[in-house]
Amino acid sequence: MAERLQKLIAQAGMASRRQAEDWIAEGRVSVNGHVAVVGEKADPTRDVIEVDGRQILGTEKKITILLNKPRGYISTLSDPQGRRLVTDLIADIPERLYPVGRLDFNTEGLLLLTNDGELSLRLTHPRHHVSKTYLVKVQGTLSSAMAARLSRGVVIDGYKTAPAKVDHIRSAGTSCWFELTIREGKNRQVRKMCESVGLSVVRLKRIRIDFLDLGDLAIGKYRFLSEPEIQRLKQ
Ligand code: URA
């Protein structure tokens, strides 16, 4: 909803409405790159509002991207060890985006990044049971007994995992590939689940979150989610 600029600036805690009006009159406020005029309104969910060239807090455009994360990138915003960050791959996007949940350094695949707190909470809160599917490569063979244990739930870190789905098991020489769909997001959950049935993960790729998949997105590339996709995720 569009609101008067002085109200939005005051809501952001930067100044009183009166002072914000003075800033507008002095030409210090802009909306989507043009200098604002007194009396102008803007929609904080769509428009970029800046004072002295700095975007006012809480008014960033909501952006969500789907990244095909390569192995060897860390999904935090900084790393004391100086490892490569997933945000290095989206350096051309001016908005500050946060990873929705985490993928391990050596896990690849579908990672969402957003500045939309509501969407992030919707996707990560355990109450919503959002499904995540992983393509897993393990050393050795996943027997049907092991698959049944993974599906029923196994104990990791003293916690029993919720029912999961195991699909598309196929052996390849001394290793085996399968898909595992879980509705939780504990730390290193897939690796720990596999370890609990005696298998060591050699490759891990997230291929789906809810209805979203990687499509033909190349490794290291991203795409913007569309508004209908975002609305569907929020449902
Ligand atoms: N499970 C893991 O073990 N690692 C990930 O990165 C994601 C899920």
Side-chain angles (χ1 to χ4, degrees), residues 102-104 107 134 188-191 204:
R102 300 254 171 99
L103 284 182
D104 302 334
T107 302
Y134 295 86
R188 298 176 70 82
Q189 181 161 344
V190 174
R191 292 176 199 274
L204 186 58

Side-chain angles (χ1 to χ4, degrees), residues 119-184:
L119 180 67
S120 191
L121 191 64
R122 176 75 189 71
L123 293 171
T124 53
H125 196 287
R127 175 157 49 99
H128 299 302
H129 308 291
V130 175
S131 71
K132 284 147 287 198
T133 300
Y134 295 86
L135 179 61
V136 190
K137 183 184 184 190
V138 289
Q139 195 61 46
T141 306
L142 178 79
S143 66
S144 45
M146 288 169 176
R149 282 175 63 199
L150 289 178
S151 315
R152 279 197 306 267
V154 289
V155 176
I156 54 170
D157 301 332
Y159 157 89
K160 178 146 188 246
T161 58
K165 203 163 132 223
V166 179
D167 281 315
H168 301 114
I169 306 172
R170 50 199 187 277
S171 285
T174 57
S175 50
C176 176
W177 292 88
F178 60 96
E179 290 182 16
L180 180 65
T181 301
I182 59 174
R183 292 176 179 272
E184 302 164 293

Side-chain angles (χ1 to χ4, degrees), residues 13 33 36 49 53-54 76-77 81 84 91 93 102 185 188 197 199:
I49 305 162
R54 282 185 43 215
T76 50
L77 297 183
Q81 295 175 47
R84 290 178 296 186
I93 299 179
R102 300 254 171 99
R188 298 176 70 82
V197 299
L199 292 171

Side-chain angles (χ1 to χ4, degrees), residues 184-201:
E184 302 164 293
K186 305 274 178 210
N187 184 34
R188 298 176 70 82
Q189 181 161 344
V190 174
R191 292 176 199 274
K192 287 178 183 171
M193 286 175 74
C194 292
E195 276 159 27
S196 81
V197 299
L199 292 171
S200 145
V201 171

